[in-house]
Amino acid sequence: MIKYALIGNQNSGKTTLFNALTGSHAQVGNWPGVTVEKREGVYSYKSNHINGEENVQATIVDLPGIYSLSPYSPEEIISRNFLIDEHPDVCINIVDATNLERNLYLTTQVLEIDVPVVVAVNMIDAAYKKGIEVNTEKLQEILGVPVIAISALRGTNLDDLMILAYQASKKQRLGKSLIANDVSIKELYDESESLLKKENHEIGSLAYHSVKLLEGDDEEVKNHYDIAMKIKEMREEIPLDVFDGDFQGKVADARFRFITSHINDFVTRRVDGKEVTTFEYELSLIHI
């Protein structure tokens, strides 16, 4: 049976989507060895939705709500290990349409892993009521993966979402870093990627491991010690800046810069029917 992973921030509507897709076909327990709730269920496709194929079902795994894939909490470790080691057929990344800047931070990390990804822009109805319009076609162009607007609560476009997921499951996808060309990390990223290729030509999720190595991620240092030491030496030769040598901070800043540099390409904000800038919109939310 094909397997889909649901991943997203807390309060993104991820569990609402899981319940809508699986209904009574869901089981709740704990992840092995960890007191973190595990939800798993089954979604059954309607045959006429997928080229006449019959009795197609997908296992849906609801990963813990997280804000990043840095493995510091049990929830982050579970999600990271599941995507890297369990190789789900598709990762459905749920993002909150009313708070895309924050939610897409996780998206930039998920896209670095070798797994087919579909981005579900949830709460699209709530966003519209708040004067926020999302151009999913433009966002799809920027991210390089299928994007669809949904409302998990109202059941809007859920069948179409699952069709996209099924189609994506039929294609292999190599991870891609959206920040690899950021001037603050490009040199280190290129070196990290090059060294990993030399060490292992067939390493999976190359983009993800390359970024984690230049961050100095503990797991990556343990698994690729010699490369990590070379990257560490290069980091120490770089003049200190506002991050004072904190490359996790540098990477996080690069992710947010990527998002903010593109946000106005796919998000339109309106106040009283008039298109406004992000600053003007945020100012309108302040009640004096």
Side-chain angles (χ1 to χ4, degrees):
M1 187 183 296
I2 52 180
K3 181 177 291 186
Y4 302 158
L6 303 184
I7 192 167
N9 291 183
Q10 295 178 14
N11 302 316
S12 63
K14 180 172 58 63
T15 299
T16 301
L17 176 60
F18 173 80
N19 291 337
L21 294 176
T22 61
S24 60
H25 306 291
Q27 295 180 341
V28 178
N30 285 331
W31 290 90
V34 184
T35 56
V36 176
E37 190 172 78
K38 178 180 183 180
R39 297 173 184 265
E40 190 169 301
V42 175
Y43 173 84
S44 296
Y45 281 91
K46 298 175 182 178
S47 61
N48 61 333
H49 282 166
I50 48 174
N51 302 323
E53 295 184 51
E54 296 182 358
N55 302 319
V56 176
Q57 295 183 322
T59 297
I60 311 293
V61 179
D62 183 20
L63 295 175
I66 56 173
Y67 295 103
S68 81
L69 287 174
S70 298
Y72 300 124
S73 69
E75 290 81 4
E76 290 168 342
I77 292 171
I78 287 167
S79 297
R80 167 180 169 148
N81 290 349
F82 190 88
L83 294 183
I84 296 286
D85 300 331
E86 298 297 325
H87 307 293
D89 295 284
V90 171
C91 177
I92 300 176
N93 176 211
I94 300 90
V95 297
D96 177 359
T98 69
N99 197 0
L100 281 174
E101 291 94 334
R102 182 176 186 179
N103 281 236
L104 288 173
Y105 180 78
L106 176 61
T107 305
T108 64
Q109 298 171 71
V110 171
L111 291 174
E112 291 167 353
I113 298 175
D114 292 354
V115 60
V117 177
V118 175
V119 174
V121 182
N122 193 26
M123 307 184 196
I124 199 68
D125 50 338
Y128 188 77
K129 288 180 180 178
K130 291 184 176 183
I132 300 171
E133 300 173 13
V134 182
N135 185 330
T136 54
E137 292 184 1
K138 185 63 178 179
L139 181 56
Q140 177 170 301
E141 178 184 327
I142 292 168
L143 298 180
V145 296
V147 176
I148 185 171
I150 69 167
S151 171
L153 184 62
R154 298 181 181 276
T156 306
N157 290 340
L158 299 194
D159 284 341
D160 291 336
L161 165 64
M162 299 309 286
I163 292 170
L164 282 180
Y166 183 79
Q167 292 170 341
S169 73
K170 299 300 182 181
K171 305 173 184 177
Q172 287 188 330
R173 177 185 170 276
L174 295 179
K176 178 182 178 181
S177 176
L178 299 177
I179 61 169
N181 291 319
D182 188 279
V183 292
S184 69
I185 65 170
K186 177 174 172 51
E187 182 180 359
L188 277 174
Y189 178 89
D190 289 345
E191 183 66 14
S192 178
E193 185 181 75
S194 176
L195 290 171
L196 280 170
K197 284 181 179 178
K198 289 179 181 178
E199 179 186 79
N200 182 353
H201 291 290
E202 298 181 357
I203 184 170
S205 298
L206 177 62
Y208 177 81
H209 293 298
S210 298
V211 173
K212 286 301 177 185
L213 266 174
L214 68 89
E215 284 183 323
D217 177 89
D218 289 342
E219 189 72 16
E220 298 299 329
V221 171
K222 181 176 70 176
N223 293 334
H224 310 282
Y225 183 79
D226 290 342
I227 296 175
M229 291 304 101
K230 291 179 182 178
I231 297 298
K232 183 175 183 290
E233 290 176 6
M234 290 183 65
R235 287 203 308 260
E236 291 173 348
E237 293 175 1
I238 297 175
L240 297 180
D241 57 11
V242 66
F243 291 100
D244 195 24
D246 174 13
F247 270 80
Q248 289 185 345
K250 272 183 178 288
V251 171
D253 184 61
R255 295 190 191 283
F256 280 119
R257 270 205 309 275
F258 178 86
I259 295 166
T260 56
S261 68
H262 289 286
I263 194 75
N264 290 327
D265 295 334
F266 58 85
V267 172
T268 301
R269 295 175 175 85
R270 300 182 188 278
V271 175
D272 297 329
K274 178 184 177 182
E275 186 173 336
V276 296
T277 65
T278 301
F279 176 75
E280 290 171 330
Y281 180 82
E282 291 176 350
L283 194 62
S284 74
L285 300 179
I286 300 175
H287 300 286
I288 302 177

